[in-house]
Amino acid sequence: MNSEAIFDLGEKQKELGELEEGALAPDFWKNPQRVQKVNQRIAALREEIADYEKLSGEIEEWETLLELAIEENDATLHTEISSGLVAAATRLEKMELRLMLNGEFDGNNAILSIHSGAGGVDAQDWAEMLMRMYLRWCDTRGYKTEIVDITTDNEGGIKGATILVTGTAAYGYLQAEAGVHRLVRLSPYDFNNRRHTSFAAIDVTPEIDDTVEVDIQEDELRIDCYRASGAGGQHVNVTDSAVRITHKPTGIIVQCQNERSQHKNREIAMKLLRSRLHERYREEREAELAKQRSARPDINFGSQIRSYVLHPYQRVKDVRTNVETGNVNAVLDGALDPFIEGYLKLKAQQK
């Protein structure tokens, strides 16, 4: 199992050395955003190299043990060795999958937005279930999450939410989730307990820093401040700290109410706007993606990328890759890796 050529260990060690040397320069700390980006890349390279070296060492041990078992004709070790090599092969496959994340912004943090669609309060409840699912998936991967905006409804569920996901390659992985998600179940909101179909859409964009130029003119913005909704009681916000920014040329609207400071909410909202505008401009530069975006379907029947069926049977199926499972509860608890891996493999094949 020769993985060094695939992993390109030498190049990664060289890049790590150069970054670590650059971090020792006296003027390195003058640019906080560059410091954050470089440190994130250093941490990612160290993790990747350590994972490779650990896996490589384990493979060598299993191969040595296999040679010993063959020499001494010890059949009792065959099952243990076989299981160990299969586990190592699975981990190698995951490492190869991570190497597929070679897009310009695949290594970046992600901005994930959830929008309820057709289905009324059931769709709002479904949007909240999806938010919980993604928060749990992020938690299992060690990603930090921040809900920068959320719109709830008195009847139940959420109309929408925006989550900043911080961690190595968060965008690279979560890009697989962009699209319409369909739920089929017996509605807890239907007095007659009938089966309902609900929809919610997921948008995913990479978080970008100030080193990426995005032309935003002040006169193109409408900035509204309003009172943030809260839990009430001593936690109620009595100031107009929440910020909503509308980019008039494109109609893109971003908002943040998570922080008590209006200045901080505006800073986060501008970060969201920069990322979404960059994604919009990128798509416009690429004719095919622009065409796909202009023909983007409604959040309704026939437009889903994945179906989650809870009744009359249980199954989750991705219509793009045909990856499916009957363990719906596990998926809703954040077990998304098979679907994300299936999408990334499909994307790599189409390049």
Side-chain angles (χ1 to χ4, degrees):
M1 188 183 299
N2 184 11
S3 57
E4 185 168 346
I6 298 172
F7 185 73
D8 204 356
L9 179 63
E11 282 299 314
K12 291 187 183 295
Q13 290 174 328
K14 179 182 177 182
E15 182 185 357
L16 177 60
E18 291 173 349
L19 290 175
E20 289 177 331
E21 183 178 351
L24 298 176
D27 60 346
F28 174 72
W29 300 96
K30 292 182 179 179
N31 186 336
Q33 288 193 330
R34 172 169 169 74
V35 169
Q36 180 183 8
K37 189 172 184 179
V38 170
N39 284 341
Q40 190 173 28
R41 180 58 179 163
I42 288 175
L45 286 170
R46 286 175 176 170
E47 181 183 352
E48 290 176 15
I49 292 171
D51 286 348
Y52 168 81
E53 291 177 340
K54 181 180 178 182
L55 179 59
S56 180
E58 289 179 2
I59 292 173
E60 288 181 6
E61 289 179 4
W62 286 119
E63 289 177 341
T64 301
L65 190 59
L66 178 60
E67 292 174 0
L68 182 63
I70 293 173
E71 286 177 6
E72 299 189 4
N73 197 24
D74 187 350
T76 61
L77 291 175
H78 288 177
T79 300
E80 181 184 356
I81 294 170
S82 177
S83 298
L85 288 175
V86 168
T90 300
R91 288 169 57 192
L92 177 59
E93 185 177 358
K94 288 184 178 294
M95 289 177 61
E96 292 175 352
L97 188 71
R98 187 161 59 186
L99 295 177
M100 294 179 186
L101 303 180
N102 53 12
E104 184 179 4
F105 298 103
D106 282 356
N108 288 30
N109 300 331
I111 297 167
L112 184 145
S113 298
I114 305 169
H115 312 275
S116 64
V121 67
D122 275 285
Q124 293 172 186
D125 186 57
W126 173 224
E128 187 170 28
M129 290 169 65
L130 285 173
M131 181 175 71
R132 174 183 175 274
M133 180 181 76
Y134 289 119
L135 290 175
R136 292 207 165 194
W137 178 82
C138 290
D139 186 58
T140 61
R141 296 194 70 92
Y143 287 160
K144 178 183 176 183
T145 56
E146 180 183 0
I147 301 174
V148 298
D149 184 63
I150 186 168
T151 304
T152 58
D153 187 84
N154 291 333
E155 292 185 79
I158 62 172
K159 292 183 177 179
T162 301
I163 305 169
L164 175 61
V165 183
T166 304
T168 303
Y171 172 71
Y173 289 112
L174 283 171
Q175 62 181 303
E177 297 301 295
V180 177
H181 296 243
R182 182 182 75 154
L183 172 70
V184 181
R185 64 170 175 175
L186 297 177
S187 170
Y189 299 96
D190 188 323
F191 181 76
N192 295 312
N193 199 34
R194 290 173 295 189
R195 187 168 70 241
H196 282 238
T197 301
S198 308
F199 298 87
I202 304 298
D203 286 327
V204 184
T205 55
E207 183 193 27
I208 59 173
D209 56 35
D210 289 339
T211 61
V212 180
E213 293 186 8
V214 179
D215 185 23
I216 302 177
Q217 303 296 324
E218 196 70 27
D219 59 1
E220 296 177 342
L221 304 179
R222 185 174 76 243
I223 302 177
D224 301 306
C225 300
Y226 59 99
R227 188 162 300 177
S229 59
Q234 62 177 332
H235 302 292
V236 69
N237 195 335
V238 296
T239 63
D240 293 338
S241 61
V243 174
R244 180 186 299 111
I245 300 178
T246 304
H247 186 249
K248 290 183 282 189
T250 61
I252 292 176
I253 300 174
V254 295
Q255 55 192 38
C256 181
Q257 58 174 316
N258 191 51
E259 304 292 334
R260 289 187 176 273
S261 162
Q262 184 184 112
H263 175 76
K264 185 63 175 177
N265 281 330
R266 173 169 173 157
E267 181 183 326
I268 294 174
M270 284 298 297
K271 180 185 294 187
L272 299 180
L273 179 61
R274 282 173 49 79
S275 295
R276 291 184 181 172
L277 279 175
H278 182 272
E279 185 72 1
R280 170 72 66 88
Y281 296 152
R282 183 187 68 80
E283 289 176 343
E284 289 177 352
R285 287 195 300 268
E286 299 177 18
E288 169 130 5
L289 287 179
K291 180 180 178 182
Q292 291 176 5
R293 190 172 181 87
S294 66
R296 183 176 179 175
D298 294 332
I299 312 174
N300 211 322
F301 287 92
S303 61
Q304 69 274 3
I305 63 165
R306 192 178 302 151
S307 292
Y308 306 70
V309 181
L310 302 182
H311 185 84
Y313 53 87
Q314 294 206 339
R315 184 181 67 176
V316 181
K317 181 175 182 178
D318 195 298
V319 300
R320 302 164 300 178
T321 62
N322 289 324
V323 174
E324 62 179 283
T325 178
N327 195 347
V328 179
N329 290 332
V331 175
L332 295 177
D333 276 337
L336 294 172
D337 284 355
F339 298 99
I340 292 175
E341 291 170 8
Y343 171 82
L344 293 177
K345 289 176 182 178
L346 178 64
K347 183 181 176 184
Q349 292 171 2
Q350 293 174 341
K351 286 184 178 180

